[in-house]
Every structure is written in C-alpha cells, then in structure tokens.
Amino acid sequence: MPGRKRKAAQIVKLIGLDDSRLPAISKRMKLGLSADEMIMLKNYFLSLGRDPRDIEVHAMAQAWSEHCCYKSSKFYLKKYLSGLRQEYVILAMEDDAGVVEFDSDHVYVLKMESHNHPSAIEPYGGAATGVGGIIRDVLCMGAQPVALLDSLFFGDLKSGHGEGQLDQRFVFNRAVAGIRDYGNRMGIPTVAGSLAFDRSYSGNPLINAGCIGVARRKDIVRSRVTQSGDLLVVAGGKTGRDGIHGVNFASRSVSGKREDDIGSVQLGNPVTEEALTHAVLEAMEAGILDGMKDLGGGGLSSAVGELCYAGGLSAVVFLDRVPLKEEDMQPWEIWVSESQERMLMAISEKNLPLLDAILETWGLDHAVIARVKEGSNLVIEFHGETVLDLDLAFMTSGPIYCRNYTLPEKKEFTRTQPKEPADLNSLALEMLADFNICSREPVTRTYDFTVRGSTIVGPLTGSIDAETHSDAAVVKPLEDSFRGLVLTSDSRPIMVAGDPYRGTLNTLSEAYRNILVTGGFPHSVVDSMNFGNPEDPGQLGKFVESLRAIRDFCQKFSLPVVSGNVSLYNQNRDQNIKPTPVIFMTGIIDDVRKAIPSYFTGEGNSIYLIGNEDGDLSGSCLLHHLGYENTSAPFVDLDELSSLRKSMDALISNDVILAAHDISDGGLFVALAEMAFGRSIGASVDISETNGGRPINKLFAESGNRVLIEVAPEKEKLLSSLVTATIKKIGTTLGDRIVIENVNMNLIDVKVEDAKRAWSEGLSKMI
Amino acid sequence: MEGTNCEYEAFESFRRSGAKPEYVHIKQLEDRRKKLTDFDIIFFPGGFSAGDYVRAGAIFAARVKAASGRDISEFNDSHRPIIGVCNGFQVMVELGLLPGESRLEKRVTLTFNSSGRFECRKVFVRIATRNRMIGSAYVGRNAWEIPVAHSEGRIVLDYPESTFNYLSDGGNILFQYVDPEGNPAGYPWNPNGSYGNIAALSNSYGNSIGLMPHPERIYYAYQAAEKLEPAAGKQFFDAIVAYSKSL
C-alpha cells in the first residue's frame, strides 16, 4: 500500500458485534478462523475490556492455525505416539526437530515436513522453500545438515490438467527443479526419497522434504529461551510481503483460484540460506546461542511466541527494527510474514558484538528485535507505540479439537484377480516402465548427492555404467568414525487408500526392510502425515487408523517416533487425496564399508527368497497399472518381520549376504530386475516352489515381508542354521537374461539390456 | 564466499594428506584480515558462488581480483599450487589463471552441459600430460573413477581443433574423460560434452590446475563405486601437498 508509511495498527471492532457477523471478519482478513474460534477471540478481548488491534487478531490467527497448533491432530498424536520413547532419544516432538543419540558424543537431528499447498499453486517456489525450511529446522538445533530426502506425489502425468489446475507435467518438472536448485546450491546432498503418481494428487501435489544433521551432544541449541534479559536477534533474509497468511492457507483446501493464494507463497534464496548456515554454525561453535528458532510458518509471530513460551518467559518486541524488503509494511504484515531464510537467535547482550561480527562476515542482514523478560504478556512496540499486548499462554496454546471420526467399515478383505495376460513378457516390460516403478534417474541425477563427500550409497548404485536403485542411502557423517546413517523415506498410498491401518503397516514394513537389506538396524521414525479434510469424519478416521498402525508397529519393534508433521486439508475441490503417511526411517550401520549392495554382484551365486508370500495383489502397482480401483490392502505379519530381522542380523554378522533387496513396488519380478540392473548380471529363476497361486500373483504381488538375497555357493550351508524365517532358493545369477520359470513353463525371458531400457525410459520423456 | 559449498570435504582432504588447511572467506581478504601470500596452497572450492545467477564464478572472481589480484599473481609467479574444482575452476578461468597464457585468454570457456541439465554422476578420467605436481600419481590404471556434479562444465574452444592442439602441445590438458577401459568416449563418459573430452586444465608450468571432477569427494575407496585403492582423490591431494612441501 504505497504512500501509507509507518502505519500503526488499526482497531478491529469485535465487542458489541453480533456473533453472526464474526465469520465475515475472519474471511475479509484471511484469518482462517472458524465461527467458534472468532467467538473465543471476541470473548477474550471482552474480558480485557477492549477491542483488539489488527496485529493482535492476525497473531492469534497464526497461532491458532491448523499448521501451527495442530488443533485437529494434536489429541490423536498424543494418544497414539506419545508413549513411543527409547532411552537413546534425547528430544522427541518437543523442539523444531528430533534429536537422537548417534554415538557417545554425537547426536543426529532430523525432521520431515510437507510443503503441499504452496507447491500446488507455485511448484518451483513451493518445493524450493520446503527444502529451505526443513534445513533450517535442523540447523536451528545447532546441527550441521548432512543429507536431504524428499517424497513427492503428483497427479497422472498423462492426464494433462483439470479446470483451474496447473498441468501435471509442469508441476512435476517445476517441483523437481525447485528441490534441485535449492538443495544443490546449499551443498547438502539429496540422497533418498520416493516418487509416486496418482490421479488424486492432481491439483494438490505432495512435497515432503526431510533433512538430517549431526551435532555434538553438548552443542544442541534448544528452541526455547530461559534467560530473562536475553536479546532476540533476527538474521538472514529481510522481511517482506511474501508468504503472508501461508499457515492459514496451508490449513484449508486449495481454492482453485491461484491468484487468490499466490501472495501466500514464500520466495526462496538458497545463497542467503547457505551463508546463514555458516554463520549459525560459527555462532554455535562459539557457544553464544542460548536458544534458536527458525522462522517458518507464522513468521516472527510463532517463532518469538513459541521460543519465549517454551522457556516460561515473554518479551518486548521492537517491531520497527526488523529489516524490511518494503519499507511501508504494516506492523501486522511484518509480524506474520513468512519470508524465507530467517533465523531467530537468543543471546546475552555481552555476546552481541561477536554475533554481529559473524553475521557481517557472511553479509547477512540482522537486527536486535526484542528483549526477553519475565511475565506472562508478550508486548510489541512499533515506533514507541504498543500495538500488541497479549497473554502468551492464551495466544500460543491454541484450541484442541477432538473432532468426530468414523472408522472405515469392517470389511472382508477382498482380493481382486485380474485376468492372466497372454504375454507375460510384454506385461513385465510395461510394468518396468510404469511411472510408479520405473527408474528415478531422470530426477535423482539432477540432485547433487555426492557433495560433502560423505555419501557412501546414494540414490543410484552399482557399476558406473549400469546403475540401479538403492534401497536406502548410507551417509558417513563424521570424519573420524565409520558409523553411518541409513536413510529411507517410503509411502504406499494405494495400499493406505485400500485400508489405512494395513496400508500404513505395509509402509513401515517396507521402510524397515529397506534399512535391513542395506546392512543397518532401524533406529528411529519420523512421520509426515498428508491427509484430506479433517472435518470429514471419514478422512479423520483414516488419519487415526494410520496413527494406530504407527503405534502398533513402533511398539512391536521398540522404535521411537522422534518428530513429525501433519498436513491436512489436502484436497482439490471436494476430492480428498489418497491418505498418504510418509515414513522417514533412519537406521544405523556400524561400519559404512559393510553396506550391502542392492544389485547382483557376480555370476554363479544363488538367489534366495526370505519371507512368506500369499499372492495378494491388493494395493499393488499391477492393479493400479491395469486401472483397478483398490479397496483393500495385504495383511502384514509383524512376527514374521521380527523373525526376518533376526535372520538378517545373523546373516550379516556372518558375512553371508553378497546383495539384498526388498520386494515392494512391482513385486518379485521388479525386485529381480532391479538387482540385475546394477551390474548387468542376469538371473535364471524358478518360482514353482513359491506360493501365491497364479503366475501374475507370484510375479507382481507386493504383499508380505519379503527380501531377496544373493549368496555365494560356499556359504549356502550356513543358511539353515542362521535363518529362522521361511527361506527358499529360487535361482542363480547368470548370463545376460532374466529368465523365470514356473512348473516347467517359461513365464518371462527378457534380456537385461531390454528390461533396463524399458525401466530407464519410463520417466525420461516426462522431464 | 556465500554459495561456495564444497569446502568441508576439500578441507578434510588436505588435512588427511598432511597439510594444515584453513578456511579463508572473501570478506577476510577484503578486510585485510588474511593475506593469500601467507599460505602455501590456494584451493577454490566448488559450489554456486553468489548463486551462479550471473555467469558461473564471475562474481567470485571479480571479488577475488579486487581484493587480492596482486597477491594471486605473486602466488602464481612463485609457482605455488593454485587449484580450482568445479565452480572453482570457473573462477580460475575468469581470473585468467587458466589456461594461463595471455595468448590463450578468452579462447577457453566453460558453459552449459550438452545435456542441458545438472548431472551428478561418476565418471572416469585419465592423465593426459606430464605435470610437475601430479607426477606419477595416476600411472598404473587406465581410468580413474571420480565424481562430477555440475550444470556448466562443458569446455568449448574458440577454434576447436587448433586451440585443442595448442593446449595439448603446451601440456595444458591435464585430465580427459574416458570409458572404463581408458579410451576416449562420448556421453555419458564425457558427462558434459567438453571438446576433446577435456576434464581438467593446467597452466604451462603446471602449478595452476582447474578440474570439473571432484577429487575431494573420492579420497577413500569406500566412497567409490568400484572400491579400488588408492582412490583418485588421495592421489591428487597427496601429490599437491608433497609438491608444496618440496618448494
């Protein structure tokens, strides 16, 4: 609003207004508050005996947004996930990221977040700032970020676009470019992730970005300030009008009118963030940070509020000192702006010169914007005038809803049985080229996954001219230790849509096996929950069922849930997305040099299948590929997975395994093919002894807790004593063809080269 | 400077090879808090200095030139090693350190990959000249595995054939991309479409080197796909440090 300089806050008339007129105010000011919440707000100010100023109303709206206070999900998160702790967890779901013991002196710090709504209307900026935000969440704990992951979900690339939507291919390309440009410029390797396509994501893509860092245990900086008299310094990017009302936007559905929402999208500048990272780590190294919080959703409003509230203190804010991009910003705009690359640091006054020097070396804008004080009220001054004076507890805690939900109807788990195709060879090649299965190389190749020199296994692995997918990435974060992090991020939305409880268990089983087959032991879980409208009891029921599965799984395997994210209102018009819990699981490997390859390492070795198969095609890529609507998900036997874990531990400690790969998307056939690709070594396989019924079930079912391993002939005699799970020999590594027989009948006979081509070309035309 | 981001692994590589590395920020040169001639080796790391939104490395080079142009000339004249990797290579070309002769200036340019995209992959190189710093570090294998990760790494020459011959005769072509057997080959072995498969250049004396591949990311065999000891990075840093100590 040019010409209106230094505009102080306006009074918003609530008192005396009829309750029926309150929703209109919420709408006009883009507050995103419900009628009931507006009444609570009015009553609060009634008790103070005055009307609020606009900045006060905006501050409350930020704090009470779904995004900031988890009002629809908090009750259920607490109910299901709060009991999942392990002694090696240092901070779980308290600060901006989880903190877990790595070795006796070090911790790893991790978090995953979604950035779905901004990406729907501006995929490049939305995805890029999603990466920027997750890096700051890890950085603000005082940790050096060491790896990035991303799980991405897009609409059907072949469908073009619906009315009012961006073209799906455009969204896909721009989102990938956003992640590439931000991650690469930050110099943090993007090492793992997942990518899936389904019609339900048209108009509401999901961008889940994860980050993991390491720190010395004693250097962890808390997201709270406990020293009265400390100064709060905002550093990094300037504050502008970009990203205003981002959290309110993220807490409702995408409207379909992009021009209404575009102002809510934040703009990213990775070079500022790269400098900020250096500066923050130098300040951390100097030991001068008493507390730190990244400025994300809700901007200063939520960062200052939460930093002080968590420490039982409050603050006086001098809002006119915030460095601005646009000088004529109104106080409320400054307070709620979600401009990127900003960090809030608490330090004592005597350390200010040192912090100033560090920030100036890195050319970063910075200013002291507040002083921490005792007392319950947060006060904001703007050019000497008090514009906000609110009880921090009332403001920050937010409402908690225990909304009604309905569970999916108890049902018979039905099995869909497609017709057996005449030509399995063609179907096999088609499946390899399916968007949900084919090579992710066109995407992952554009991410720098070797920067920092600590990536031991990246997204692509194998001989240099024949790479295949890895199961999990392996990162060696410390110079003086061979201990490594094993990272995977998985989702099974088709299965979860079929049955949220079983589907989520399948997701967890896959993540768990990805870590086992890489040679690690699973250590912690981060959940990034992407669901539809929580005001729809059926949608909320799916969320609750998914949480129940996470609890049951993590209890069974003694795994802590250390941080997480909930994104609701993912829908386009009235269509909810497929419920999509993303599981970012971290494992530990004692020695990164012992990481197990996901590809056949030599000819003449034996191929074994561990785990039972039941041939259930529910939720499989095959049914999705053939156009069946899925209504079910396979049963997961957690006792069997436990037995698989013990067997893998024994096999690994006896050096029996040459290579291992889990069976997931695309079933046994795709798993065999991916193992063949990594060094262009074929296989001769006979599946007569496997269960599962008809050939397509045996080849393409994704059910069960199965893995394939490659074993040298001289080690085979050890298997019977080491493996307690079901194990069967199914073939031999051999030649340059993948040949699969079943009861004396040849099912598949393809050259590795041809299979590889089909797999490689799947996505290459789309990017 | 901001956007430079391969300094950690470069720092560790020098340390492992017995040097005592130190980070120097461009601002410290500008403020005269540090002086380049106080050091024995200069290493320009990779990354996206200033975001690379202008020509890659151009802003970094301009700032270095303004702050320490004379120190760099002095450093180079004393034949101390100056190394630039990836974005650092681009900086060295911008600074005129590479190929390093006035008559070659502006005849060699680094530009966008032929594939038109950023590519992170492992490639093979072989040594293409005798270099007084590298010495015999890369004998015994036809092809050395090394990572690349860039979008602007294609070397183009003004008059391809004649300039290539000139560079080749002058010993300026240090590494070339090859296939696993050590033969010149096209994409993806040559990941960016560089003319004559040029992967690295040196000046004629051999003390200034610019590479697109990243030796600092492959110091140990366990960082490699082929797991062969010794890895290319260790050979590189050991040789540079040994040369520096011999001065």
Side-chain angles (χ1 to χ4, degrees):
Chain A
M1 280 162 233
R4 285 209 269 157
K5 282 206 168 204
R6 306 251 178 279
K7 187 94 183 161
Q10 309 258 7
I11 302 289
V12 180
K13 279 222 163 302
L14 293 182
I15 297 175
L17 211 59
D18 191 75
D19 287 350
S20 65
R21 293 175 62 189
L22 294 174
I25 294 180
S26 173
K27 190 158 187 228
R28 178 168 52 82
M29 295 178 73
K30 295 191 178 176
L31 301 176
L33 294 176
S34 69
D36 290 343
E37 288 160 354
M38 286 301 288
I39 294 170
M40 282 168 71
L41 198 65
K42 178 179 136 183
N43 289 340
Y44 176 73
F45 284 98
L46 204 56
S47 75
L48 294 181
R50 65 173 176 90
D51 271 316
R53 299 173 193 90
D54 55 4
I55 181 172
E56 292 176 310
V57 175
H58 282 292
M60 302 296 296
Q62 298 292 299
W64 288 9
S65 67
E66 187 70 61
H67 185 95
C68 288
C69 76
Y70 286 62
K71 59 194 171 192
S72 299
S73 60
K74 204 171 192 171
F75 176 81
Y76 301 105
L77 289 172
K78 206 171 154 85
K79 176 175 173 189
Y80 287 105
L81 304 184
S82 63
L84 301 169
R85 295 214 52 161
Q86 296 295 324
E87 64 198 34
Y88 57 84
V89 176
I90 293 151
L91 289 173
M93 307 216 255
E94 285 181 66
D95 288 33
D96 281 10
V99 179
V100 188
E101 183 177 280
F102 180 64
D103 63 19
S104 53
D105 296 328
H106 296 87
V107 294
Y108 65 87
V109 177
L110 71 172
K111 173 94 187 231
M112 178 172 262
E113 268 190 356
S114 61
H115 223 221
N116 304 337
H117 287 72
S119 305
I121 52 170
E122 213 294 83
Y124 181 88
T129 53
V131 174
I134 201 67
I135 292 171
R136 286 195 307 282
D137 275 325
V138 167
L139 180 65
C140 81
M141 303 303 294
Q144 165 71 56
V146 297
L148 294 169
L149 301 85
D150 52 75
S151 278
L152 313 177
F153 304 81
F154 300 100
D156 183 355
L157 291 183
K158 286 179 182 153
S159 75
H161 54 93
E163 198 185 329
Q165 293 173 0
L166 297 171
D167 180 78
Q168 287 309 300
R169 230 173 117 177
F170 174 82
V171 173
F172 170 51
N173 277 277
R174 294 306 290 161
V176 166
I179 290 168
R180 174 197 70 202
D181 286 354
Y182 210 104
N184 292 359
R185 280 188 167 79
M186 284 299 296
I188 299 168
T190 301
V191 297
S194 64
L195 176 60
F197 300 92
D198 179 80
R199 272 200 308 273
S200 76
Y201 305 115
S202 300
N204 196 133
L206 306 181
I207 306 291
N208 289 234
C211 181
I212 188 163
V214 286
R216 284 187 296 262
R217 186 189 286 243
K218 64 179 177 51
D219 289 341
I220 282 297
V221 180
R222 297 296 307 269
S223 317
R224 59 175 56 170
V225 54
T226 52
Q227 311 272 74
S228 178
D230 261 9
L231 303 176
L232 299 185
V233 175
V234 66
K238 284 191 167 77
T239 299
R241 286 206 173 90
D242 49 319
I244 285 184
H245 290 132
V247 294
N248 310 114
F249 171 45
S251 307
R252 60 176 168 84
S253 308
V254 178
S255 67
K257 281 202 273 176
R258 282 193 303 284
E259 52 278 19
D260 286 357
D261 297 327
I262 199 87
S264 309
V265 179
Q266 306 85 353
L267 311 168
N269 179 356
V271 178
T272 302
E273 180 133 322
E274 206 268 341
L276 184 64
T277 304
H278 282 285
V280 164
L281 293 173
E282 282 179 24
M284 180 273 293
E285 213 40 68
I288 58 174
L289 298 174
D290 297 338
M292 184 156 51
K293 204 162 170 68
D294 115 74
L295 273 71
L300 281 168
S301 182
S302 63
V304 173
E306 289 171 21
L307 189 76
C308 293
Y309 182 65
L313 295 168
S314 62
V316 187
V317 180
F318 315 106
L319 199 57
D320 45 277
R321 296 194 194 166
V322 176
L324 300 179
K325 291 180 187 169
E326 295 147 280
E327 283 304 322
D328 64 344
M329 286 175 74
Q330 297 187 53
W332 73 266
E333 292 179 309
I334 302 171
W335 189 238
V336 303
S337 160
E338 297 178 12
S339 288
Q340 294 291 292
E341 292 91 26
R342 296 180 300 161
M343 196 68 95
L344 187 69
M345 304 180 221
I347 61 158
S348 74
E349 194 157 3
K350 66 175 193 306
N351 292 324
L352 188 61
L354 181 52
L355 183 62
D356 281 347
I358 292 170
L359 293 168
E360 267 151 37
T361 290
W362 288 102
L364 294 164
D365 283 308
H366 58 104
V368 173
I369 60 139
R371 185 181 286 277
V372 177
K373 66 173 181 68
E374 308 273 346
S376 60
N377 274 34
L378 180 77
V379 175
I380 300 180
E381 294 181 0
F382 190 70
H383 294 292
E385 186 189 337
T386 300
V387 294
L388 179 146
D389 188 346
L390 287 177
D391 182 66
L392 203 46
F394 176 72
M395 187 176 123
T396 309
S397 43
I400 292 181
Y401 292 132
C402 181
R403 295 187 199 278
N404 282 334
Y405 64 83
T406 49
L407 292 180
E409 277 175 41
K410 285 261 181 271
K411 61 185 170 195
E412 294 285 313
F413 285 96
T414 50
R415 292 189 178 193
T416 309
Q417 186 62 46
K419 227 177 86 194
E420 197 79 14
D423 181 359
L424 274 169
N425 255 351
S426 315
L427 179 65
L429 291 175
E430 256 177 56
M431 286 302 288
L432 286 171
D434 184 275
F435 287 153
N436 284 319
I437 288 174
C438 68
S439 173
R440 270 56 189 134
E441 190 205 322
V443 174
T444 53
R445 182 77 75 204
T446 67
Y447 299 155
D448 191 342
F449 52 83
T450 56
V451 62
R452 293 187 62 75
S454 53
T455 307
I456 307 304
V457 179
L460 299 166
T461 182
S463 293
I464 292 174
D465 55 343
E467 291 166 308
T468 187
H469 290 159
S470 61
D471 289 292
V474 178
V475 173
K476 177 183 174 298
L478 300 174
E479 173 67 11
D480 299 319
S481 164
F482 284 113
R483 202 171 172 82
L485 296 164
V486 185
L487 307 170
T488 180
S489 163
D490 300 283
S491 67
R492 308 300 301 259
I494 304 168
M495 286 190 183
V496 179
D499 181 78
Y501 181 79
R502 282 185 171 191
T504 304
L505 285 183
N506 275 288
T507 310
L508 286 151
S509 167
E510 181 185 344
Y512 195 87
R513 282 177 286 139
N514 276 335
I515 289 173
L516 292 183
V517 297
T518 308
F521 55 90
H523 201 242
S524 70
V525 171
V526 171
D527 60 331
S528 188
M529 313 290 280
N530 307 270
F531 285 75
N533 186 344
E535 293 160 38
D536 170 347
Q539 290 295 316
L540 190 60
K542 290 178 183 173
F543 174 69
V544 172
E545 277 293 272
S546 189
L547 286 179
R548 186 167 70 87
I550 294 173
R551 180 201 58 194
D552 290 353
F553 188 94
C554 291
Q555 257 173 3
K556 171 82 181 175
F557 294 101
S558 302
L559 280 169
V561 176
V562 296
S563 65
N565 180 75
V566 179
S567 168
L568 301 173
Y569 299 95
N570 289 293
Q571 52 185 167
N572 196 305
R573 305 242 163 73
D574 298 333
Q575 282 298 91
N576 288 298
I577 58 155
K578 283 203 163 66
T580 310
V582 174
I583 298 297
F584 166 13
M585 199 179 283
T586 298
I588 302 280
I589 185 166
D590 286 327
D591 186 340
V592 296
R593 294 169 296 182
K594 299 210 164 140
I596 300 168
S598 62
Y599 49 87
F600 295 137
T601 58
E603 293 195 48
N605 296 319
S606 300
I607 305 165
Y608 282 84
L609 171 68
I610 310 182
N612 281 307
E613 61 289 301
D614 65 0
D616 188 352
L617 286 169
S618 310
S620 66
C621 290
L622 179 73
L623 290 190
H624 192 253
H625 179 84
L626 298 174
Y628 289 87
E629 197 53 45
N630 181 53
T631 54
S632 182
F635 169 70
V636 180
D637 180 348
L638 296 183
D639 290 327
E640 182 194 37
L641 185 58
S642 177
S643 163
L644 173 73
R645 161 76 191 267
K646 290 192 192 96
S647 305
M648 288 297 288
D649 285 351
L651 291 169
I652 289 166
S653 56
N654 285 279
D655 267 335
V656 177
I657 301 181
L658 289 170
H661 192 31
D662 77 312
I663 294 179
S664 59
D665 292 332
L668 175 71
F669 168 71
V670 171
L672 280 167
E674 287 181 335
M675 291 188 88
F677 295 155
R679 221 172 243 183
S680 296
I681 295 172
S684 171
V685 170
D686 187 328
I687 54 172
S688 307
E689 298 302 310
T690 65
N691 302 316
R694 305 171 70 159
I696 50 166
N697 300 65
K698 289 184 171 194
L699 290 170
F700 299 112
E702 298 168 16
S703 54
N705 301 294
R706 293 176 294 160
V707 301
L708 291 173
I709 59 170
E710 178 194 6
V711 179
E714 65 272 18
K715 300 254 178 157
E716 285 183 84
K717 57 184 183 301
L718 293 170
L719 293 173
S720 58
S721 63
L722 297 174
V723 178
T724 53
T726 310
I727 181 166
K728 298 182 183 91
K729 180 167 175 170
I730 60 163
T732 310
T733 58
L734 176 76
D736 61 359
R737 306 185 77 83
I738 301 167
V739 181
I740 302 179
E741 311 266 335
N742 186 40
V743 211
N744 296 323
M745 207 168 91
N746 178 265
L747 299 180
I748 288 177
D749 185 354
V750 289
K751 282 183 87 167
V752 175
E753 201 185 322
D754 295 339
K756 178 81 184 275
R757 189 177 314 113
W759 181 76
S760 299
E761 287 178 355
L763 265 183
S764 63
K765 296 174 206 120
M766 290 294 153
I767 200 151
Chain B
M1 74 177 290
E2 61 273 14
T4 293
N5 59 31
C6 304
E7 73 282 350
Y8 160 77
E9 53 274 38
F11 182 97
E12 292 298 344
S13 296
F14 274 116
R15 202 187 49 74
R16 294 164 191 157
S17 287
K20 291 198 198 78
E22 205 177 295
Y23 295 124
V24 178
H25 193 281
I26 181 73
K27 190 96 176 165
Q28 294 171 316
L29 299 178
E30 288 165 350
D31 298 348
R32 308 252 167 261
R33 279 180 278 163
K34 286 186 182 173
K35 197 167 164 57
L36 287 180
T37 45
D38 294 340
F39 294 88
D40 299 319
I41 303 170
I42 298 174
F43 185 92
F44 292 105
F48 293 81
S49 54
D52 273 2
Y53 295 115
V54 195
R55 201 169 58 247
I59 292 177
F60 194 0
R63 284 181 70 180
V64 169
K65 204 170 216 163
S68 304
R70 203 175 294 170
D71 287 351
I72 293 218
S73 301
E74 187 188 325
F75 202 97
N76 193 29
D77 292 344
S78 65
H79 297 142
R80 281 176 276 180
I82 307 179
I83 316 295
V85 168
C86 199
N87 193 237
F89 183 8
Q90 293 153 345
V91 171
M92 286 181 71
V93 172
E94 289 284 328
L95 282 172
L97 289 166
L98 290 171
E101 279 182 58
S102 49
R103 55 176 299 192
L104 281 171
E105 202 155 326
K106 309 262 188 257
R107 296 178 64 177
V108 179
T109 315
L110 285 155
T111 188
F112 290 97
N113 297 348
S114 296
S115 66
R117 58 176 193 164
F118 184 97
E119 294 207 24
C120 178
R121 56 168 70 244
K122 287 169 174 166
V123 297
F124 291 99
V125 293
R126 74 164 182 218
I127 190 111
T129 186
R130 292 163 64 91
N131 177 285
R132 67 180 71 233
M133 296 201 293
I134 300 298
S136 58
Y138 293 98
V139 298
R141 233 183 274 168
N142 294 329
W144 291 77
E145 177 187 339
I146 195 160
V148 292
H150 57 249
S151 55
E152 293 179 57
R154 177 161 58 106
I155 292 183
V156 290
L157 309 174
D158 56 348
Y159 298 103
E161 269 182 48
S162 60
T163 306
F164 182 85
N165 289 337
Y166 188 85
L167 288 168
S168 184
D169 295 345
N172 298 109
I173 298 169
L174 182 61
F175 288 112
Q176 282 174 298
Y177 300 112
V178 290
D179 69 13
E181 283 74 47
N183 304 311
Y187 183 84
W189 302 116
N190 173 344
N192 50 36
S194 272
Y195 187 83
N197 295 309
I198 301 173
L201 292 174
S202 78
N203 62 358
S204 299
Y205 187 83
N207 68 305
S208 281
I209 291 178
L211 317 85
M212 281 320 293
H214 288 276
E216 75 279 13
R217 297 186 188 182
I218 187 162
Y219 196 92
Y220 297 115
Y222 60 76
Q223 294 168 300
E226 308 293 333
K227 315 286 179 209
L228 291 177
E229 290 279 12
K234 182 178 192 311
Q235 296 304 93
F236 186 82
F237 287 95
D238 280 354
I240 302 297
V241 173
Y243 167 81
S244 171
K245 286 183 173 167
S246 75
L247 288 181

